[in-house]
Amino acid sequence: MNGQAETSYASMRETHSSVVFFVGDRVHKMKKPLDLGFLDNRTRAAREWICHREVELNRRLAPDVYLGVATCTIRAARSVSTSSS
């Protein structure tokens, strides 16, 4: 850190099929459960498949950017937990 205080920040943006969270130097993308006709992400399995495919395709050109896929679970108490797959 070179003696400098770490600055924390977060923001969120939406695309037609995802919600993207910018947290510090990381970006987390969640696929929306929707059917656009050309893209059907209504099931968890469909969203998981498209996430793995996106990482597979984009990791070829940006391996240090696309780190992997994680499962995100929202609990009743409004807490969020993640686990890598």
Side-chain angles (χ1 to χ4, degrees):
M1 296 293 305
N2 299 331
Q4 297 177 350
E6 182 177 341
T7 303
S8 296
Y9 60 90
S11 64
M12 188 237 355
R13 299 288 184 268
E14 288 193 55
T15 70
H16 63 288
S17 65
S18 301
V19 179
V20 184
F21 300 93
F22 300 88
V23 183
D25 65 347
R26 300 288 177 135
V27 177
H28 305 273
K29 182 189 283 187
M30 292 177 64
K31 298 294 185 184
K32 295 177 183 177
L34 46 71
D35 182 356
L36 299 174
F38 64 92
L39 176 68
D40 185 354
N41 277 346
R42 291 177 290 178
T43 67
R44 182 185 181 281
R47 291 188 302 278
E48 185 175 5
W49 181 86
I50 200 76
C51 286
H52 281 285
R53 187 71 176 128
E54 181 177 340
V55 169
E56 179 185 346
L57 291 171
N58 291 325
R59 193 177 266 174
R60 295 176 300 156
L61 298 175
D64 56 334
V65 174
Y66 287 84
L67 303 179
V69 175
T71 299
C72 180
T73 305
I74 300 174
R75 300 173 188 220
R78 295 289 196 199
S79 65
V80 176
S81 65
T82 61
S83 61
S84 297
S85 61

